[in-house]
């Protein structure tokens, strides 16, 4: 029996123990690289959400975590980070099986995505301990001090495209500031979170503080959003789901944070360092098979270098050959699911009408099984075309020429989205001019995706509402109040 076939069924984690669904329901977990069912996962419903929220509420009221000294929470989260790194191979193997992301070359230490996830835990463990309160003294008559306390139970709803990293990005601040959580991972990535539950338990986190309910969006996600004991929902996923969540959260006036999709422009000026810009443009759209919210899916190239760019980009893209994601040399794995494969193939049909396929555009030769799509570039499409406007979430870049900075801005800002923008130029003036006018939440100049966890991560327009990172996460996951008392004047 292959290693893939020995995967244990995935179960909910509620009040410190792994459980089946109340009604015994399960769903199949499919390996997208082979199309084989590798195991089953518990299919959560209202009853499972109710149990998990009760456990989270009970843990919060008990105070063993919510009112614990900050140093205790830091110690626990640091220990969890160490344990997570020690189980890097195991968790990355599960993640690759569930969503097809390439496991990548061997590393001397933990896998970079595990390292980043451990950093999420350590960063917020320290942030919550070091964060200070404010005090105001009004003319020696009134002293006011602010308090930012753990707020309650949060629902965390996450997508499949980077399950461990995106989940820890939410749960780290949520838990660090003393809250309890009910986490609903995507139905397409239910395996890897089990390791995290074991890690938190071993690190000494009290039962009920972190709970996981597996299952589908409407069946498990919606009851979580509607639950009256859930104070807030942090969601990463598509704009359509965010709108549904916003509607369901409104009757109980929940706080919400939305990190959503994108159609980000990667803008390359003629004076850019093309040796860096071109491989970075390929990485920006082919990494994770284009299934990244911050993918640079619209590649805007100054007209004077357009033809040379197409040639060089085609050459660079040849290195992104799809293959078995468990193979250490593979850079590009399959898409996550049949649904996603059909969706991307549908867009490629549209692309043939709306523009011209420069390279790629189909299933790679020799890969008859699995949801693989070739790295693809589309040219000669209008900036208004559907393939230039809609988030494809696949390895499909649309390349559009522009004349000058204002033309680039007009094309880039012609979008319902506004997540990230990338600017490649040798001129600081151009970079500055562009960054003040580009309608996106995040801008990277002469670099690809590069993080500082204090950055305000998030988007504008349909790309999101709210910011997470550093103290902005603290504002979301705590309740800020004040207490005042009179002073005896000096
Ligand atoms: P999705 O919106 O379909 O699902 C995300 C999560 O929401 C899943 O756990 C799903 O089960 C759940 N869900 C679905 N319907 C729900 C409902 N009605 N109520 C409550 N929960 C529900 O998104 P996806 O396909 O999993 O992820 C891809 C999308 O996520 C893309 O648009 C991508 O750009 C976006 N994304 C954004 C970021 C970011 O940080 N901005 C990061 C990664 C992905």
């Amino acid at each position: 029996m292959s290693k893939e076939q020995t995967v244990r069924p995935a179960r909910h984690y509620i009040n410190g123990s792994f459980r089946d669904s109340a009604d015994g329901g399960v769903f199949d977990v499919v390996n997208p690289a082979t199309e084989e069912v590798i195991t089953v996962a518990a299919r959560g419903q209202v009853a499972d959400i109710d149990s998990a929220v009760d456990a989270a509420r009970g843990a919060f009221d008990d105070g063993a975590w919510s009112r614990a000294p900050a140093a205790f929470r830091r110690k626990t989260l640091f220990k969890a980070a160490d344990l997570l790194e020690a189980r890097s191979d195991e968790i990355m193997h599960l993640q690759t099986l569930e969503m097809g992301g390439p496991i990548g070359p061997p590393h001397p230490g933990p896998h970079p995505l595990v390292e980043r996830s451990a950093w999420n835990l350590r960063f917020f463990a320290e942030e919550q301990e070091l964060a200070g309160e404010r005090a105001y003294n009004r003319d020696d008559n009134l002293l006011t001090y602010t308090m930012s306390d753990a707020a309650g139970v949060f629902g965390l709803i996450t997508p499949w495209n980077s399950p461990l990293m995106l989940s820890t990005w939410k749960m780290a601040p949520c838990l660090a500031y003393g809250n309890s959580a009910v986490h609903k991972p995507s139905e397409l990535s239910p395996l890897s979170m089990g390791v995290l539950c074991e890690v938190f338990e071993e690190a000494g986190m009290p039962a009920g503080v972190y709970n996981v309910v597996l299952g589908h969006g409407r069946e498990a996600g919606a009851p979580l959003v509607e639950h009256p004991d859930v104070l807030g929902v942090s969601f990463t996923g598509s704009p359509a789901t965010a709108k549904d969540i916003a509607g369901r959260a409104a009757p109980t006036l929940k706080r919400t944070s939305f990190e959503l999709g994108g159609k980000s422009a990667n803008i390359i000026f003629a004076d850019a360092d093309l040796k860096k810009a071109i491989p970075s443009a390929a990485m920006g759209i082919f990494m994770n098979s284009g299934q990244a919210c911050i993918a640079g899916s619209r590649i805007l190239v100054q007209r004077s270098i357009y033809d040379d760019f197409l040639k060089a980009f085609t050459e660079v893209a040849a290195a992104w050959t799809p293959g078995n994601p468990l193979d250490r040399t593979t850079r590009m794995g399959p898409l996550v699911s049949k649904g996603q494969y059909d969706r991307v193939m549908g867009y490629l049909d549209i692309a043939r009408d709306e523009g011209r396929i420069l390279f790629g555009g189909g299933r790679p030769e020799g890969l008859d099984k699995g949801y693989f799509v070739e790295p693809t570039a589309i040219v000669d499409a209008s900036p208004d075309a559907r393939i230039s406007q809609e988030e494809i979430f696949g390895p499909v870049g649309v390349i559009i020429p522009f004349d000058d900075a204002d033309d680039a801005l007009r094309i880039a800002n012609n979008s319902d989205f506004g997540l990230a923008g990338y600017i490649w130029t040798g001129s600081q003036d151009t970079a500055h001019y562009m960054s003040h006018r580009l309608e996106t939440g995040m801008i990277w100049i002469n670099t690809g995706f590069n993080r500082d966890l204090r950055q305000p991560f998030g988007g504008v327009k349909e790309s999101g509402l709210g910011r997470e990172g550093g103290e902005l996460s603290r504002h979301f996951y705590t309740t800020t109040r004040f207490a005042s008392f009179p002073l005896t004047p000096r």
Side-chain angles (χ1 to χ4, degrees):
M1 197 182 254
S2 73
K3 199 171 174 187
E4 285 89 330
Q5 290 166 320
T6 60
V7 178
R8 274 181 297 167
R11 304 168 81 200
H12 310 306
Y13 182 74
I14 298 174
N15 211 16
S17 61
F18 287 96
R19 293 193 199 171
D20 294 325
S21 289
D23 69 356
V26 293
F27 62 92
D28 287 342
V29 182
V30 175
N31 177 350
T34 62
E35 301 181 32
E36 283 166 9
V37 175
I38 46 171
T39 189
V40 291
R43 183 169 184 154
Q45 310 269 359
V46 178
D48 307 296
I49 289 291
D50 286 347
S51 303
V53 175
D54 283 354
R57 182 77 240 176
F60 187 81
D61 292 344
D62 170 74
W65 183 257
S66 56
R67 286 192 295 277
F72 170 70
R73 291 199 296 262
R74 175 173 53 78
K75 204 171 128 204
T76 309
L77 291 168
F78 264 71
K79 187 162 179 205
D82 291 345
L83 293 168
L84 185 65
E85 287 183 333
R87 296 179 69 176
S88 174
D89 286 350
E90 180 190 355
I91 197 163
M92 284 314 295
H93 182 78
L94 288 172
Q95 188 169 297
T96 295
L97 290 184
E98 66 191 356
M99 54 70 69
I103 202 128
H107 296 276
H111 188 284
L113 286 172
V114 176
E115 225 168 32
R116 164 63 203 277
S117 303
W119 183 25
N120 289 339
L121 296 176
R122 292 188 186 110
F123 176 88
F124 284 106
E126 289 204 314
E127 213 286 334
Q128 59 95 30
E129 197 180 24
L130 298 178
E133 308 292 7
R134 282 167 190 241
Y136 312 100
N137 175 352
R138 202 199 65 202
D139 303 331
D140 275 356
N141 282 318
L142 186 75
L143 182 69
T144 298
Y145 63 92
T146 63
M147 299 168 280
S148 293
D149 296 322
V153 176
F154 283 85
L156 310 179
I157 302 181
T158 52
W160 45 264
N161 59 327
S162 188
L164 180 67
M165 195 275 281
L166 291 173
S167 299
T168 50
W169 174 238
K170 293 193 181 306
M171 74 184 63
C174 177
L175 301 176
Y177 298 116
N179 303 290
S180 299
V182 176
H183 178 197
K184 211 296 285 169
S186 169
E187 55 275 33
L188 296 172
S189 56
L191 302 180
S192 46
M193 287 307 119
V195 177
L196 209 58
C197 299
E198 291 170 1
V199 157
F200 282 148
E201 194 170 317
E202 197 181 334
M205 190 177 286
V209 170
Y210 176 64
N211 307 273
V212 176
V213 176
L214 305 172
H216 292 267
R218 285 291 161 111
E219 290 173 3
L224 176 60
V225 173
E226 288 168 353
H227 201 295
D229 279 347
V230 172
L231 175 99
V233 175
S234 178
F235 168 76
T236 297
S238 61
T241 305
K243 289 173 193 174
D244 187 76
I245 290 175
R248 290 176 198 274
T252 43
L253 282 184
K254 287 182 171 57
R255 58 181 89 171
T256 52
S257 171
F258 294 140
E259 295 191 344
L260 311 177
K263 189 79 179 177
S264 298
N266 191 352
I267 305 169
I268 303 173
F269 284 88
D271 65 356
D273 179 348
L274 296 178
K275 283 201 177 62
K276 287 188 185 154
I278 294 173
S280 182
M283 165 93 83
I285 184 59
F286 301 137
M287 193 184 64
N288 213 25
S289 300
Q291 302 168 124
C293 56
I294 38 80
S297 46
R298 289 183 297 158
I299 305 170
L300 275 50
V301 181
Q302 198 155 20
R303 207 176 293 278
S304 57
I305 57 162
Y306 184 72
D307 291 337
D308 291 343
F309 175 88
L310 294 188
K311 203 163 154 276
F313 187 69
T314 307
E315 280 164 21
V316 167
W320 290 83
T321 326
N324 177 2
L326 286 173
D327 184 330
R328 292 279 184 187
T329 60
T330 297
R331 286 178 87 178
M332 204 168 109
L335 298 179
V336 71
S337 64
K338 170 92 168 62
Q340 189 65 10
Y341 176 83
D342 290 343
R343 192 180 127 86
V344 173
M345 285 298 184
Y347 274 111
L348 294 178
D349 286 341
I350 296 171
R352 288 183 187 91
D353 285 341
E354 290 185 335
R356 176 170 67 85
I357 292 191
L358 178 70
F359 58 78
R363 174 180 266 285
E365 256 178 54
L367 289 172
D368 302 328
K369 277 274 174 198
Y371 308 123
F372 292 96
V373 173
E374 291 176 302
T376 299
I378 297 161
V379 291
D380 301 342
S382 152
D384 295 320
R386 281 186 64 192
I387 47 158
S388 309
Q389 289 290 325
E390 297 176 18
E391 186 183 38
I392 298 175
F393 227 52
V396 183
V398 183
I399 309 177
I400 303 169
F402 67 87
D403 294 319
D404 55 20
D406 287 324
D407 193 32
L409 283 167
R410 191 182 50 74
I411 297 169
N413 291 339
N414 172 22
S415 173
D416 290 338
F417 294 105
L419 192 58
Y422 304 89
I423 302 164
W424 294 87
T425 173
S427 155
Q428 194 177 336
D429 284 353
T430 305
H432 190 65
Y433 183 86
M434 295 292 290
S435 13
H436 278 274
R437 289 162 181 80
L438 203 53
E439 294 165 3
T440 64
M442 304 179 281
I443 294 164
W444 280 281
I445 298 161
N446 292 334
T447 175
F449 178 68
N450 207 343
R451 279 310 306 277
D452 177 323
L453 301 190
R454 293 166 295 187
Q455 289 164 333
F457 192 96
V460 300
K461 304 190 206 171
E462 297 250 326
S463 287
L465 202 54
R467 295 286 179 277
E468 293 188 10
E471 60 180 346
L472 292 151
S473 295
R474 173 153 39 95
H475 293 157
F476 182 73
Y477 288 111
T478 57
T479 296
T480 303
R481 300 173 301 130
F482 72 80
S484 292
F485 52 88
L487 290 176
T488 308
R490 277 185 272 226

Short mmCIF file of all heavy atoms in Angstrom, two decimals, residues 169-213:
data_model
loop_
_atom_site.label_atom_id
_atom_site.label_comp_id
_atom_site.label_asym_id
_atom_site.label_seq_id
_atom_site.Cartn_x
_atom_site.Cartn_y
_atom_site.Cartn_z
N TRP A 169 -1.84 32.26 10.29
CA TRP A 169 -1.85 33.72 10.18
C TRP A 169 -3.06 34.29 10.92
O TRP A 169 -3.04 35.40 11.44
CB TRP A 169 -1.86 34.10 8.70
CG TRP A 169 -2.01 35.56 8.40
CD1 TRP A 169 -2.98 36.14 7.64
CD2 TRP A 169 -1.16 36.64 8.83
NE1 TRP A 169 -2.79 37.49 7.57
CE2 TRP A 169 -1.68 37.83 8.30
CE3 TRP A 169 -0.02 36.69 9.62
CZ2 TRP A 169 -1.10 39.08 8.53
CZ3 TRP A 169 0.56 37.94 9.86
CH2 TRP A 169 0.03 39.10 9.31
N LYS A 170 -4.16 33.53 10.98
CA LYS A 170 -5.34 33.98 11.72
C LYS A 170 -5.32 33.49 13.16
O LYS A 170 -5.61 34.23 14.09
CB LYS A 170 -6.61 33.43 11.07
CG LYS A 170 -6.87 34.01 9.72
CD LYS A 170 -8.27 33.68 9.28
CE LYS A 170 -8.53 34.24 7.90
NZ LYS A 170 -8.24 35.67 7.78
N MET A 171 -5.01 32.19 13.34
CA MET A 171 -5.16 31.65 14.69
C MET A 171 -4.08 32.21 15.63
O MET A 171 -4.33 32.34 16.82
CB MET A 171 -5.16 30.13 14.68
CG MET A 171 -3.82 29.52 14.43
SD MET A 171 -3.86 27.74 14.29
CE MET A 171 -4.85 27.42 12.85
N ALA A 172 -2.90 32.56 15.10
CA ALA A 172 -1.84 33.06 15.97
C ALA A 172 -2.29 34.31 16.72
O ALA A 172 -2.27 34.34 17.95
CB ALA A 172 -0.55 33.31 15.19
N PRO A 173 -2.74 35.38 16.03
CA PRO A 173 -3.20 36.54 16.80
C PRO A 173 -4.45 36.25 17.61
O PRO A 173 -4.57 36.69 18.76
CB PRO A 173 -3.46 37.61 15.73
CG PRO A 173 -3.60 36.86 14.44
CD PRO A 173 -2.78 35.63 14.58
N CYS A 174 -5.38 35.48 17.02
CA CYS A 174 -6.63 35.18 17.73
C CYS A 174 -6.33 34.55 19.09
O CYS A 174 -6.81 35.00 20.13
CB CYS A 174 -7.47 34.25 16.86
SG CYS A 174 -9.00 33.74 17.68
N LEU A 175 -5.49 33.53 19.10
CA LEU A 175 -5.19 32.81 20.34
C LEU A 175 -4.23 33.61 21.22
O LEU A 175 -4.38 33.63 22.45
CB LEU A 175 -4.60 31.43 20.02
CG LEU A 175 -5.49 30.52 19.17
CD1 LEU A 175 -4.77 29.22 18.82
CD2 LEU A 175 -6.81 30.22 19.87
N ALA A 176 -3.25 34.25 20.61
CA ALA A 176 -2.24 34.96 21.41
C ALA A 176 -2.88 36.01 22.31
O ALA A 176 -2.48 36.17 23.45
CB ALA A 176 -1.21 35.62 20.49
N TYR A 177 -3.89 36.71 21.80
CA TYR A 177 -4.53 37.76 22.61
C TYR A 177 -5.53 37.18 23.60
O TYR A 177 -6.23 37.94 24.28
CB TYR A 177 -5.17 38.82 21.71
CG TYR A 177 -4.16 39.53 20.85
CD1 TYR A 177 -4.19 39.42 19.46
CD2 TYR A 177 -3.12 40.25 21.43
CE1 TYR A 177 -3.21 40.04 18.67
CE2 TYR A 177 -2.15 40.87 20.65
CZ TYR A 177 -2.20 40.76 19.28
OH TYR A 177 -1.24 41.36 18.52
N GLY A 178 -5.62 35.85 23.69
CA GLY A 178 -6.40 35.22 24.75
C GLY A 178 -7.78 34.74 24.35
O GLY A 178 -8.55 34.27 25.20
N ASN A 179 -8.10 34.84 23.07
CA ASN A 179 -9.43 34.41 22.63
C ASN A 179 -9.50 32.90 22.47
O ASN A 179 -8.48 32.22 22.48
CB ASN A 179 -9.77 35.05 21.29
CG ASN A 179 -9.69 36.55 21.37
OD1 ASN A 179 -10.52 37.18 22.02
ND2 ASN A 179 -8.68 37.14 20.73
N SER A 180 -10.71 32.40 22.27
CA SER A 180 -10.91 31.01 21.85
C SER A 180 -11.31 31.03 20.38
O SER A 180 -11.85 32.03 19.90
CB SER A 180 -12.03 30.36 22.65
OG SER A 180 -11.72 30.35 24.01
N ALA A 181 -11.08 29.91 19.70
CA ALA A 181 -11.37 29.87 18.27
C ALA A 181 -12.09 28.60 17.87
O ALA A 181 -11.84 27.52 18.41
CB ALA A 181 -10.06 29.97 17.47
N VAL A 182 -12.99 28.76 16.90
CA VAL A 182 -13.52 27.61 16.16
C VAL A 182 -13.09 27.82 14.72
O VAL A 182 -13.46 28.81 14.08
CB VAL A 182 -15.06 27.51 16.27
CG1 VAL A 182 -15.56 26.36 15.41
CG2 VAL A 182 -15.47 27.33 17.72
N HIS A 183 -12.26 26.92 14.25
CA HIS A 183 -11.66 27.06 12.92
C HIS A 183 -12.38 26.11 11.96
O HIS A 183 -12.55 24.93 12.24
CB HIS A 183 -10.16 26.69 13.04
CG HIS A 183 -9.42 26.74 11.75
ND1 HIS A 183 -8.19 26.15 11.58
CD2 HIS A 183 -9.70 27.33 10.56
CE1 HIS A 183 -7.77 26.36 10.35
NE2 HIS A 183 -8.66 27.06 9.71
N LYS A 184 -12.78 26.68 10.82
CA LYS A 184 -13.40 25.86 9.76
C LYS A 184 -12.47 25.93 8.55
O LYS A 184 -12.53 26.86 7.75
CB LYS A 184 -14.79 26.43 9.44
CG LYS A 184 -15.82 25.41 8.98
CD LYS A 184 -15.50 24.74 7.70
CE LYS A 184 -15.69 25.58 6.48
NZ LYS A 184 -15.12 24.97 5.25
N PRO A 185 -11.57 24.93 8.40
CA PRO A 185 -10.70 24.93 7.21
C PRO A 185 -11.51 24.56 5.96
O PRO A 185 -12.64 24.08 6.06
CB PRO A 185 -9.67 23.82 7.51
CG PRO A 185 -10.00 23.26 8.85
CD PRO A 185 -11.36 23.74 9.24
N SER A 186 -10.91 24.76 4.82
CA SER A 186 -11.61 24.42 3.58
C SER A 186 -11.83 22.91 3.48
O SER A 186 -11.01 22.11 3.90
CB SER A 186 -10.77 24.88 2.38
OG SER A 186 -11.30 24.34 1.19
N GLU A 187 -12.94 22.56 2.87
CA GLU A 187 -13.25 21.14 2.63
C GLU A 187 -12.23 20.50 1.69
O GLU A 187 -12.12 19.28 1.60
CB GLU A 187 -14.67 20.97 2.07
CG GLU A 187 -14.98 21.77 0.80
CD GLU A 187 -15.43 23.22 1.07
OE1 GLU A 187 -14.96 23.82 2.05
OE2 GLU A 187 -16.25 23.72 0.28
N LEU A 188 -11.45 21.35 0.98
CA LEU A 188 -10.44 20.82 0.06
C LEU A 188 -9.09 20.60 0.75
O LEU A 188 -8.17 20.08 0.14
CB LEU A 188 -10.27 21.76 -1.14
CG LEU A 188 -11.52 21.90 -2.02
CD1 LEU A 188 -11.32 22.97 -3.07
CD2 LEU A 188 -11.87 20.57 -2.67
N SER A 189 -8.98 21.00 2.01
CA SER A 189 -7.70 20.80 2.73
C SER A 189 -7.97 20.45 4.19
O SER A 189 -7.62 21.21 5.09
CB SER A 189 -6.83 22.05 2.62
OG SER A 189 -7.54 23.17 3.10
N PRO A 190 -8.59 19.29 4.44
CA PRO A 190 -8.98 18.97 5.82
C PRO A 190 -7.93 18.18 6.61
O PRO A 190 -8.14 17.91 7.79
CB PRO A 190 -10.23 18.10 5.61
CG PRO A 190 -9.98 17.41 4.31
CD PRO A 190 -9.12 18.32 3.47
N LEU A 191 -6.79 17.83 5.97
CA LEU A 191 -5.89 16.88 6.63
C LEU A 191 -4.87 17.53 7.56
O LEU A 191 -4.62 17.05 8.66
CB LEU A 191 -5.13 16.06 5.57
CG LEU A 191 -5.98 15.25 4.59
CD1 LEU A 191 -5.08 14.50 3.61
CD2 LEU A 191 -6.87 14.28 5.35
N SER A 192 -4.24 18.61 7.07
CA SER A 192 -3.05 19.11 7.77
C SER A 192 -3.36 19.73 9.14
O SER A 192 -2.49 19.76 10.01
CB SER A 192 -2.31 20.12 6.89
OG SER A 192 -3.21 21.03 6.31
N MET A 193 -4.60 20.19 9.35
CA MET A 193 -4.90 20.87 10.62
C MET A 193 -4.85 19.93 11.82
O MET A 193 -4.66 20.36 12.95
CB MET A 193 -6.27 21.55 10.57
CG MET A 193 -6.29 22.78 9.71
SD MET A 193 -5.00 23.96 10.16
CE MET A 193 -4.07 24.02 8.67
N GLY A 194 -5.02 18.61 11.56
CA GLY A 194 -4.97 17.64 12.67
C GLY A 194 -3.63 17.70 13.39
O GLY A 194 -3.58 17.61 14.63
N VAL A 195 -2.56 17.88 12.64
CA VAL A 195 -1.22 17.95 13.26
C VAL A 195 -1.15 19.17 14.18
O VAL A 195 -0.63 19.10 15.29
CB VAL A 195 -0.12 18.03 12.17
CG1 VAL A 195 1.26 18.19 12.80
CG2 VAL A 195 -0.17 16.81 11.27
N LEU A 196 -1.72 20.26 13.72
CA LEU A 196 -1.69 21.49 14.52
C LEU A 196 -2.45 21.31 15.83
O LEU A 196 -2.02 21.80 16.89
CB LEU A 196 -2.31 22.61 13.68
CG LEU A 196 -1.80 23.99 13.96
CD1 LEU A 196 -0.31 24.10 13.74
CD2 LEU A 196 -2.50 24.97 13.05
N CYS A 197 -3.57 20.59 15.79
CA CYS A 197 -4.34 20.34 17.03
C CYS A 197 -3.47 19.57 18.01
O CYS A 197 -3.42 19.90 19.20
CB CYS A 197 -5.60 19.53 16.72
SG CYS A 197 -6.73 20.36 15.61
N GLU A 198 -2.77 18.55 17.52
CA GLU A 198 -1.89 17.76 18.40
C GLU A 198 -0.77 18.62 18.97
O GLU A 198 -0.40 18.50 20.14
CB GLU A 198 -1.30 16.57 17.62
CG GLU A 198 -2.35 15.53 17.28
CD GLU A 198 -1.84 14.46 16.30
OE1 GLU A 198 -0.66 14.50 15.90
OE2 GLU A 198 -2.65 13.60 15.93
N VAL A 199 -0.26 19.50 18.13
CA VAL A 199 0.84 20.38 18.55
C VAL A 199 0.38 21.32 19.67
O VAL A 199 1.06 21.48 20.69
CB VAL A 199 1.35 21.16 17.32
CG1 VAL A 199 2.04 22.44 17.71
CG2 VAL A 199 2.26 20.28 16.47
N PHE A 200 -0.78 21.92 19.52
CA PHE A 200 -1.29 22.84 20.56
C PHE A 200 -1.52 22.08 21.87
O PHE A 200 -1.23 22.58 22.95
CB PHE A 200 -2.59 23.51 20.10
CG PHE A 200 -2.39 24.64 19.12
CD1 PHE A 200 -3.32 24.91 18.14
CD2 PHE A 200 -1.26 25.46 19.18
CE1 PHE A 200 -3.15 25.96 17.24
CE2 PHE A 200 -1.07 26.51 18.29
CZ PHE A 200 -2.02 26.76 17.32
N GLU A 201 -2.06 20.86 21.74
CA GLU A 201 -2.33 20.06 22.94
C GLU A 201 -1.02 19.76 23.68
O GLU A 201 -0.90 19.96 24.89
CB GLU A 201 -3.04 18.77 22.52
CG GLU A 201 -3.67 18.03 23.67
CD GLU A 201 -4.55 16.89 23.16
OE1 GLU A 201 -5.31 17.08 22.18
OE2 GLU A 201 -4.46 15.80 23.74
N GLU A 202 -0.03 19.31 22.90
CA GLU A 202 1.26 18.96 23.51
C GLU A 202 1.95 20.19 24.11
O GLU A 202 2.67 20.08 25.12
CB GLU A 202 2.16 18.31 22.44
CG GLU A 202 3.33 17.55 23.04
CD GLU A 202 4.24 16.94 21.96
OE1 GLU A 202 3.76 16.68 20.83
OE2 GLU A 202 5.43 16.75 22.28
N ALA A 203 1.70 21.33 23.50
CA ALA A 203 2.33 22.56 24.01
C ALA A 203 1.69 23.04 25.30
O ALA A 203 2.21 23.94 25.96
CB ALA A 203 2.26 23.66 22.95
N GLY A 204 0.52 22.49 25.64
CA GLY A 204 -0.12 22.85 26.91
C GLY A 204 -1.26 23.84 26.80
O GLY A 204 -1.68 24.43 27.80
N MET A 205 -1.80 24.02 25.59
CA MET A 205 -2.95 24.93 25.46
C MET A 205 -4.17 24.25 26.09
O MET A 205 -4.45 23.08 25.80
CB MET A 205 -3.20 25.20 23.97
CG MET A 205 -4.20 26.31 23.73
SD MET A 205 -4.36 26.62 21.98
CE MET A 205 -2.83 27.47 21.64
N PRO A 206 -4.91 24.95 26.95
CA PRO A 206 -6.05 24.31 27.60
C PRO A 206 -7.11 23.83 26.59
O PRO A 206 -7.30 24.46 25.53
CB PRO A 206 -6.64 25.42 28.48
CG PRO A 206 -5.53 26.41 28.66
CD PRO A 206 -4.70 26.33 27.41
N ALA A 207 -7.78 22.73 26.91
CA ALA A 207 -8.81 22.17 26.03
C ALA A 207 -9.90 23.21 25.76
O ALA A 207 -10.26 23.99 26.66
CB ALA A 207 -9.41 20.93 26.68
N GLY A 208 -10.40 23.23 24.54
CA GLY A 208 -11.50 24.12 24.20
C GLY A 208 -11.06 25.48 23.67
O GLY A 208 -11.87 26.20 23.10
N VAL A 209 -9.80 25.81 23.84
CA VAL A 209 -9.34 27.12 23.34
C VAL A 209 -9.30 27.11 21.81
O VAL A 209 -9.76 28.04 21.16
CB VAL A 209 -7.95 27.47 23.92
CG1 VAL A 209 -7.35 28.69 23.23
CG2 VAL A 209 -8.05 27.71 25.42
N TYR A 210 -8.77 26.04 21.24
CA TYR A 210 -8.71 25.93 19.77
C TYR A 210 -9.51 24.69 19.34
O TYR A 210 -9.26 23.58 19.83
CB TYR A 210 -7.26 25.81 19.30
CG TYR A 210 -7.12 25.59 17.82
CD1 TYR A 210 -7.53 26.56 16.91
CD2 TYR A 210 -6.59 24.40 17.31
CE1 TYR A 210 -7.42 26.37 15.55
CE2 TYR A 210 -6.46 24.20 15.94
CZ TYR A 210 -6.88 25.19 15.06
OH TYR A 210 -6.77 24.99 13.71
N ASN A 211 -10.48 24.90 18.49
CA ASN A 211 -11.34 23.80 18.02
C ASN A 211 -11.39 23.84 16.50
O ASN A 211 -11.35 24.92 15.90
CB ASN A 211 -12.76 23.98 18.55
CG ASN A 211 -12.78 24.15 20.05
OD1 ASN A 211 -12.82 23.19 20.79
ND2 ASN A 211 -12.72 25.40 20.52
N VAL A 212 -11.50 22.67 15.90
CA VAL A 212 -11.61 22.60 14.44
C VAL A 212 -12.86 21.82 14.07
O VAL A 212 -13.08 20.71 14.58
CB VAL A 212 -10.39 21.87 13.83
CG1 VAL A 212 -10.57 21.73 12.32
CG2 VAL A 212 -9.11 22.63 14.12
N VAL A 213 -13.68 22.41 13.21
CA VAL A 213 -14.80 21.66 12.63
C VAL A 213 -14.56 21.60 11.13
O VAL A 213 -14.44 22.64 10.46
CB VAL A 213 -16.16 22.33 12.94
CG1 VAL A 213 -17.29 21.58 12.23
CG2 VAL A 213 -16.41 22.35 14.44
#
